[in-house]
Coordinates of all heavy atoms in Angstrom, one line a residue:
T1 N -17.2 4.1 17.1 CA -17.2 5.6 17.0 C -17.9 6.0 15.6 O -18.1 7.2 15.4 CB -15.8 6.2 17.0 OG1 -15.0 5.8 15.8 CG2 -15.1 5.7 18.3
G2 N -18.1 5.1 14.7 CA -18.6 5.4 13.4 C -17.7 6.0 12.4 O -18.0 6.5 11.3
F3 N -16.4 6.0 12.8 CA -15.3 6.5 11.8 C -14.1 5.6 11.8 O -13.6 5.1 12.8 CB -14.9 7.9 12.3 CG -13.8 8.6 11.4 CD1 -14.2 9.1 10.3 CD2 -12.6 8.8 12.0 CE1 -13.2 9.7 9.4 CE2 -11.7 9.4 11.1 CZ -12.0 9.9 9.9
V4 N -13.6 5.5 10.5 CA -12.4 4.7 10.3 C -11.4 5.6 9.5 O -11.8 6.2 8.5 CB -12.6 3.4 9.6 CG1 -11.2 2.7 9.3 CG2 -13.6 2.6 10.4
R5 N -10.1 5.8 10.0 CA -9.2 6.7 9.3 C -8.7 6.0 8.1 O -8.6 4.8 7.9 CB -8.0 6.9 10.3 CG -8.2 7.7 11.5 CD -7.0 7.8 12.3 NE -7.2 8.7 13.4 CZ -6.9 10.0 13.3 NH1 -6.6 10.5 12.2 NH2 -7.2 10.8 14.3
A6 N -8.3 6.8 7.1 CA -7.7 6.3 5.8 C -6.6 5.5 6.0 O -6.3 4.5 5.3 CB -7.6 7.4 4.8
S7 N -5.7 5.8 7.1 CA -4.5 5.1 7.3 C -4.8 3.7 7.7 O -3.9 2.8 7.5 CB -3.7 5.9 8.4 OG -4.5 6.0 9.6
S8 N -5.8 3.4 8.4 CA -6.2 1.9 8.7 C -6.5 1.2 7.4 O -6.1 0.0 7.4 CB -7.3 2.0 9.7 OG -7.1 2.8 10.9
V9 N -7.2 1.8 6.5 CA -7.6 1.0 5.4 C -6.2 0.9 4.5 O -6.1 -0.2 3.9 CB -8.6 1.8 4.5 CG1 -9.0 1.1 3.3 CG2 -9.9 1.9 5.3
M10 N -5.4 1.9 4.5 CA -4.2 1.7 3.8 C -3.3 0.6 4.4 O -2.6 -0.1 3.6 CB -3.4 3.1 3.8 CG -2.1 3.1 3.0 SD -2.3 2.6 1.3 CE -2.9 4.2 0.6
H11 N -3.3 0.5 5.7 CA -2.6 -0.6 6.3 C -3.0 -1.9 5.9 O -2.3 -2.8 5.5 CB -2.7 -0.5 7.9 CG -1.9 -1.4 8.6 ND1 -2.0 -1.7 9.9 CD2 -0.7 -2.1 8.3 CE1 -1.0 -2.6 10.4 NE2 -0.3 -2.8 9.3
L12 N -4.4 -2.1 5.7 CA -4.9 -3.3 5.1 C -4.6 -3.4 3.6 O -4.2 -4.6 3.2 CB -6.5 -3.2 5.3 CG -7.3 -4.5 4.6 CD1 -6.9 -5.8 5.4 CD2 -8.8 -4.2 4.6
R13 N -4.7 -2.4 2.9 CA -4.3 -2.4 1.4 C -2.8 -2.9 1.3 O -2.4 -3.7 0.3 CB -4.6 -1.0 0.8 CG -6.0 -0.7 0.8 CD -6.3 0.7 0.3 NE -6.1 0.9 -1.0 CZ -6.3 2.1 -1.7 NH1 -6.4 3.1 -1.0 NH2 -6.2 2.1 -3.0
E14 N -2.0 -2.5 2.2 CA -0.5 -2.8 2.0 C -0.4 -4.2 2.3 O 0.5 -4.9 1.6 CB 0.3 -2.1 3.0 CG 0.4 -0.5 2.7 CD 1.0 0.3 3.8 OE1 1.0 -0.1 5.0 OE2 1.2 1.5 3.6
Q15 N -1.1 -4.8 3.2 CA -1.0 -6.3 3.6 C -1.5 -7.2 2.4 O -1.1 -8.1 2.0 CB -1.8 -6.6 4.8 CG -1.2 -6.0 6.1 CD 0.3 -6.5 6.3 OE1 0.5 -7.7 6.3 NE2 1.2 -5.6 6.5
L16 N -2.6 -6.5 1.8 CA -3.3 -7.3 0.6 C -2.3 -7.3 -0.5 O -2.2 -8.2 -1.3 CB -4.6 -6.7 0.1 CG -5.7 -6.7 1.2 CD1 -7.0 -6.1 0.7 CD2 -6.0 -8.1 1.7
T17 N -1.5 -6.2 -0.7 CA -0.6 -6.1 -1.8 C 0.6 -7.1 -1.5 O 0.9 -7.8 -2.5 CB 0.0 -4.7 -1.9 OG1 -1.0 -3.7 -2.1 CG2 1.1 -4.5 -3.0
D18 N 1.0 -7.3 -0.3 CA 2.0 -8.2 0.0 C 1.6 -9.7 -0.2 O 2.3 -10.5 -0.7 CB 2.4 -8.1 1.5 CG 3.2 -6.8 1.7 OD1 3.7 -6.2 0.7 OD2 3.3 -6.3 3.0
K19 N 0.4 -9.9 0.1 CA -0.2 -11.3 0.0 C -0.7 -11.7 -1.3 O -0.8 -12.8 -1.7 CB -1.3 -11.5 1.0 CG -1.0 -11.2 2.5 CD 0.1 -12.1 3.0 CE 0.3 -11.9 4.5 NZ 0.7 -10.5 4.9
G20 N -1.1 -10.7 -2.1 CA -1.9 -11.0 -3.3 C -1.0 -11.1 -4.5 O 0.2 -10.8 -4.5
Q21 N -1.7 -11.3 -5.7 CA -0.9 -11.3 -7.0 C -0.8 -10.0 -7.7 O -0.2 -9.9 -8.7 CB -1.6 -12.3 -7.9 CG -2.2 -13.6 -7.3 CD -1.0 -14.5 -6.9 OE1 0.0 -14.5 -7.6 NE2 -1.1 -15.0 -5.6
C22 N -1.4 -9.0 -7.1 CA -1.4 -7.6 -7.7 C -0.7 -6.6 -6.8 O -0.9 -6.5 -5.6 CB -2.9 -7.2 -7.8 SG -3.2 -5.7 -8.6
S23 N 0.2 -5.8 -7.5 CA 0.8 -4.8 -6.7 C 0.3 -3.5 -6.6 O 0.8 -2.6 -5.9 CB 2.2 -4.6 -7.4 OG 2.0 -4.1 -8.8
S24 N -0.9 -3.3 -7.1 CA -1.6 -2.0 -7.1 C -2.8 -1.8 -6.2 O -3.6 -0.9 -6.4 CB -2.0 -1.6 -8.6 OG -3.0 -2.6 -9.0
F25 N -2.8 -2.6 -5.2 CA -4.0 -2.5 -4.2 C -3.9 -1.2 -3.4 O -4.8 -0.7 -2.8 CB -4.0 -3.7 -3.3 CG -5.1 -4.8 -3.7 CD1 -4.6 -5.9 -4.4 CD2 -6.4 -4.6 -3.4 CE1 -5.6 -6.8 -4.8 CE2 -7.3 -5.5 -3.9 CZ -6.9 -6.7 -4.6
T26 N -2.7 -0.6 -3.3 CA -2.4 0.6 -2.5 C -2.8 1.9 -3.2 O -2.9 2.9 -2.6 CB -1.0 0.7 -2.0 OG1 -0.2 0.6 -3.0 CG2 -0.7 -0.5 -1.0
N27 N -2.9 1.9 -4.6 CA -3.1 3.1 -5.2 C -4.2 3.1 -6.3 O -4.6 4.1 -6.8 CB -1.8 3.6 -5.8 CG -1.2 2.5 -6.7 OD1 -1.7 1.8 -7.4 ND2 0.2 2.5 -6.7
A28 N -4.5 1.9 -6.9 CA -5.4 1.9 -8.0 C -6.9 1.6 -7.6 O -7.0 0.9 -6.5 CB -4.9 0.9 -9.0
E29 N -7.8 2.0 -8.4 CA -9.3 1.6 -8.1 C -9.4 0.2 -8.6 O -9.0 -0.2 -9.8 CB -10.2 2.5 -8.8 CG -11.7 2.2 -8.5 CD -12.6 3.3 -8.9 OE1 -12.2 4.4 -9.3 OE2 -13.9 3.0 -8.9
K30 N -10.1 -0.7 -7.8 CA -10.4 -2.0 -8.2 C -11.9 -2.3 -8.3 O -12.6 -1.5 -7.8 CB -9.8 -3.0 -7.2 CG -8.3 -2.8 -6.9 CD -7.5 -3.5 -8.1 CE -6.0 -3.4 -7.9 NZ -5.2 -3.8 -9.0
D31 N -12.2 -3.5 -8.8 CA -13.6 -4.0 -8.6 C -13.7 -4.6 -7.3 O -12.8 -5.3 -6.8 CB -13.9 -5.0 -9.7 CG -15.3 -5.3 -9.8 OD1 -15.8 -6.1 -9.0 OD2 -16.0 -4.8 -10.7
P32 N -14.8 -4.3 -6.6 CA -15.1 -4.8 -5.3 C -15.0 -6.4 -5.2 O -14.5 -6.9 -4.3 CB -16.5 -4.4 -4.9 CG -16.7 -3.2 -5.7 CD -15.9 -3.4 -7.0
E33 N -15.4 -7.0 -6.4 CA -15.3 -8.4 -6.4 C -13.9 -9.0 -6.3 O -13.6 -10.0 -5.7 CB -15.9 -9.0 -7.7 CG -16.1 -10.5 -7.8 CD -17.0 -10.9 -8.9 OE1 -17.4 -10.1 -9.8 OE2 -17.3 -12.0 -9.0
E34 N -13.0 -8.3 -6.9 CA -11.5 -8.7 -6.9 C -11.0 -8.6 -5.4 O -10.3 -9.5 -5.0 CB -10.8 -7.7 -7.8 CG -9.2 -8.1 -8.0 CD -8.5 -7.2 -8.8 OE1 -9.1 -6.2 -9.5 OE2 -7.2 -7.3 -8.9
F35 N -11.4 -7.5 -4.7 CA -11.1 -7.4 -3.3 C -11.7 -8.5 -2.5 O -11.0 -9.1 -1.7 CB -11.6 -6.0 -2.7 CG -11.6 -5.9 -1.3 CD1 -10.5 -6.2 -0.5 CD2 -12.8 -5.5 -0.7 CE1 -10.7 -6.0 0.9 CE2 -13.0 -5.5 0.7 CZ -11.9 -5.6 1.5
L36 N -13.0 -8.8 -2.7 CA -13.7 -9.9 -1.9 C -13.0 -11.2 -2.2 O -12.9 -12.0 -1.2 CB -15.2 -9.8 -2.2 CG -16.0 -8.6 -1.7 CD1 -17.4 -8.6 -2.2 CD2 -15.9 -8.6 -0.2
N37 N -12.8 -11.5 -3.4 CA -12.2 -12.8 -3.7 C -10.9 -12.9 -3.1 O -10.5 -14.1 -2.6 CB -12.0 -12.9 -5.3 CG -13.4 -13.2 -6.0 OD1 -14.3 -13.6 -5.3 ND2 -13.4 -13.0 -7.2
L38 N -10.0 -11.9 -3.1 CA -8.7 -12.0 -2.5 C -8.8 -12.2 -1.0 O -8.2 -13.1 -0.4 CB -7.9 -10.7 -2.8 CG -6.5 -10.6 -2.2 CD1 -5.6 -11.8 -2.7 CD2 -5.9 -9.2 -2.4
I39 N -9.6 -11.4 -0.3 CA -9.5 -11.5 1.1 C -10.3 -12.7 1.7 O -9.9 -13.4 2.6 CB -10.1 -10.2 1.7 CG1 -9.7 -10.1 3.3 CG2 -11.7 -10.1 1.6 CD1 -9.9 -8.7 3.9
M40 N -11.5 -13.1 0.9 CA -12.2 -14.2 1.4 C -11.5 -15.6 1.0 O -11.5 -16.5 1.9 CB -13.6 -14.2 0.9 CG -14.5 -13.1 1.5 SD -16.2 -13.1 1.0 CE -16.9 -12.0 2.0
Q41 N -11.1 -15.6 -0.2 CA -10.6 -17.0 -0.7 C -9.1 -17.2 -0.3 O -8.7 -18.1 0.3 CB -10.8 -17.1 -2.1 CG -10.3 -18.4 -2.8 CD -10.5 -18.5 -4.2 OE1 -11.1 -17.6 -4.8 NE2 -10.2 -19.7 -4.8
H42 N -8.3 -16.2 -0.7 CA -6.8 -16.4 -0.6 C -6.2 -16.1 0.7 O -5.1 -16.5 1.1 CB -6.1 -15.7 -1.8 CG -6.6 -16.1 -3.2 ND1 -6.2 -17.4 -3.7 CD2 -7.3 -15.5 -4.1 CE1 -6.8 -17.4 -4.8 NE2 -7.4 -16.3 -5.2
I43 N -6.8 -15.1 1.4 CA -6.2 -14.7 2.7 C -6.9 -15.3 3.9 O -6.3 -15.7 4.9 CB -6.3 -13.1 2.7 CG1 -5.3 -12.7 1.7 CG2 -5.9 -12.7 4.1 CD1 -5.1 -11.1 1.7
L44 N -8.2 -15.4 3.8 CA -8.9 -16.0 5.0 C -9.5 -17.4 4.8 O -9.6 -18.2 5.7 CB -10.2 -15.2 5.4 CG -9.9 -13.7 5.9 CD1 -11.2 -13.1 6.2 CD2 -8.9 -13.7 7.0

């Protein structure tokens, strides 16, 4: 549909916070590299 709700991204951010070393994935701005490293290396 070309559209993704913010709630869907927040669901992902909550899971990343649970799995990652950082507790602020749900509210703070991060560097994209930090996000890519977490999801590619540590989660997938």
Side-chain angles (χ1 to χ4, degrees):
T1 67
F3 180 71
V4 178
R5 293 177 174 276
S7 56
S8 298
V9 179
M10 183 57 79
H11 193 192
L12 177 65
R13 294 170 81 183
E14 289 165 352
Q15 292 300 308
L16 295 183
T17 298
D18 290 345
K19 305 294 189 301
Q21 313 299 314
C22 181
S23 61
S24 57
F25 262 100
T26 54
N27 52 36
E29 185 172 349
K30 302 284 186 186
D31 190 279
E33 190 170 4
E34 188 178 354
F35 161 59
L36 291 176
N37 285 343
L38 175 62
I39 197 166
M40 288 184 171
Q41 180 178 3
H42 298 293
I43 292 180
L44 297 181

